[in-house]
């Protein structure tokens, strides 16, 4: 018996979550033999076999899901980030088309600066982190180099980050950007499944900085990340403050937000 992801939902970060959920559903809940999924530039296969030491169901039934395994709650379970990373390390790091064995050799901080649809659409409800979020983290931690990966130039925090010392920026192909970010030992999150993907695939990450907007019922409420986790709180910074703004209004909000930011 197997499970099948019929279609990809959204972009690469979402797709990694689909596979992780499908693996848990198939190998940990129902003892299925394997899963299949559509071709993807990140992966060198379309099939993953179970590695669990269990009695497998050898019937020919194929399990599918209307949401293509993106929503874990609809599948009857919730995975904490630590579990997601353990699954990815066991089943996914050996099937990617990038080199995950590189690691930074100094005390560098890595940032993924979100761009794309979050800026160009008024209907996207996810939020990007303001400049004060990054400034607070960098002002309160020692670092030798700062590596900033950005999708495009829409995020107004990019120019502010470029003004800092020892900064390197990169905006290349998706696979090249993933490979670079996976070298990080210290990683600064934004609100994005792309960052969750980096956390899960990286063999190197030892410490993360995450905004409080990820630690909620919609994302990962009070869950174990398995490594040193710094939760940064931003007062009065919610998706309601972001929703409905134009591109220029969003850029101004990122630079002008000036409420209290603190580590709790």
């Amino acid at each position: 018996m197997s499970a099948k992801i019929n279609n990809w939902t959204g972009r690469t970060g979402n797709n990694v979550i689909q596979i992780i959920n499908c693996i848990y559903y198939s190998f940990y809940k129902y003892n299925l033999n394997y899963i299949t999924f559509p071709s993807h530039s990140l992966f060198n296969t379309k099939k993953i076999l179970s590695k669990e030491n269990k009695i497998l169901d050898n019937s020919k039934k194929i399990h599918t899901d209307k949401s293509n395994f993106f929503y874990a709650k609809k599948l009857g379970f919730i995975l904490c980030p630590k579990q997601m990373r353990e699954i990815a390390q066991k089943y996914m790091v050996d099937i990617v088309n990038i080199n995950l064995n590189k690691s930074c050799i100094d005390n560098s901080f890595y940032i993924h600066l979100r761009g794309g649809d979050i800026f160009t659409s008024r209907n996207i409800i996810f939020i990007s982190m303001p400049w004060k979020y990054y400034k607070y983290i960098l002002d309160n931690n020692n670092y030798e180099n700062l590596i900033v990966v950005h999708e495009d130039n829409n995020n107004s925090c990019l120019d502010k980050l470029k003004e800092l010392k020892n900064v390197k920026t990169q905006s290349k192909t998706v696979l090249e950007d993933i490979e670079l970010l996976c070298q990080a030992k210290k990683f600064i999150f934004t609100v994005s499944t792309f960052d969750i993907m980096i956390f899960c695939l990286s063999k190197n990450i030892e410490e993360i900085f995450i905004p409080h907007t990820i630690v909620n019922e919609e994302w990962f409420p009070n869950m174990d990340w398995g490594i040193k986790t710094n939760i940064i709180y931003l007062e009065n910074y919610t998706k309601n403050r972001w929703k409905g703004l134009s591109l220029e209004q969003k850029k101004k909000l990122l630079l002008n937000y000036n409420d209290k930011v603190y580590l709790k």
Side-chain angles (χ1 to χ4, degrees), residues 120-144:
T120 55
S121 173
R122 290 177 180 265
N123 298 320
I124 298 294
I125 61 173
F126 296 127
I127 60 178
S128 188
M129 291 299 100
W131 163 240
K132 193 170 183 180
Y133 167 76
Y134 298 108
K135 188 176 187 303
Y136 174 84
I137 295 171
L138 297 172
D139 284 350
N140 287 279
N141 290 275
N142 295 319
Y143 65 93
E144 294 178 28

Side-chain angles (χ1 to χ4, degrees), residues 176-191:
E176 288 174 308
D177 288 347
I178 294 171
E179 185 173 293
L180 178 60
L181 288 172
C182 282
Q183 297 176 29
K185 292 181 180 178
K186 297 183 179 181
F187 184 51
I188 300 176
F189 269 66
T190 186
V191 181

Side-chain angles (χ1 to χ4, degrees), residues 25-198:
Y25 172 93
S26 303
F27 303 159
Y28 293 75
K29 282 197 70 176
Y30 290 103
N31 302 334
L32 308 186
N33 289 20
Y34 62 90
I35 68 169
T36 59
F37 44 86
S39 61
H40 197 291
S41 61
L42 180 58
F43 305 109
N44 57 32
T45 184
K46 296 189 288 184
K47 182 177 182 178
I48 298 176
L49 302 176
S50 174
K51 297 179 181 179
E52 305 310 309
N53 186 23
K54 297 178 180 179
I55 298 175
L56 300 177
D57 187 329
N58 291 309
S59 68
K60 295 183 179 181
K61 181 180 178 180
I62 299 176
H63 289 233
T64 59
D65 173 60
K66 289 182 179 179
S67 63
N68 283 296
F69 297 93
F70 183 63
Y71 298 104
K73 286 182 181 179
K74 293 182 180 180
L75 297 167
F77 58 86
I78 299 175
L79 298 176
C80 71
K82 180 182 177 181
Q83 289 174 297
M84 294 174 68
R85 191 180 189 201
E86 288 171 347
I87 290 170
Q89 295 294 313
K90 185 173 184 178
Y91 282 100
M92 299 176 71
V93 296
D94 294 327
I95 63 168
V96 293
N97 290 317
I98 57 175
N99 184 355
L100 293 176
N101 294 317
K102 297 178 182 179
S103 175
C104 67
I105 58 175
D106 55 20
N107 184 30
S108 295
F109 276 49
Y110 286 66
I111 294 174
H112 165 234
L113 208 57
R114 183 163 182 171
D117 55 356
I118 196 172
F119 286 96
T120 55
S121 173
R122 290 177 180 265
N123 298 320
I124 298 294
I125 61 173
F126 296 127
I127 60 178
S128 188
M129 291 299 100
W131 163 240
K132 193 170 183 180
Y133 167 76
Y134 298 108
K135 188 176 187 303
Y136 174 84
I137 295 171
L138 297 172
D139 284 350
N140 287 279
N141 290 275
N142 295 319
Y143 65 93
E144 294 178 28
N145 294 285
L146 182 63
I147 314 299
V148 180
V149 172
H150 57 102
E151 180 177 355
D152 50 41
N153 295 317
N154 283 332
N155 194 313
S156 51
C157 293
L158 178 60
D159 288 336
K160 300 291 287 185
L161 289 165
K162 285 181 177 180
E163 295 173 0
L164 302 178
K165 64 178 182 178
N166 300 330
V167 177
K168 173 187 175 183
T169 64
Q170 174 172 301
S171 181
K172 295 185 178 180
T173 66
V174 172
L175 296 192
E176 288 174 308
D177 288 347
I178 294 171
E179 185 173 293
L180 178 60
L181 288 172
C182 282
Q183 297 176 29
K185 292 181 180 178
K186 297 183 179 181
F187 184 51
I188 300 176
F189 269 66
T190 186
V191 181
S192 171
T193 56
F194 191 94
D195 292 34
I196 302 297
M197 170 188 63
I198 299 300

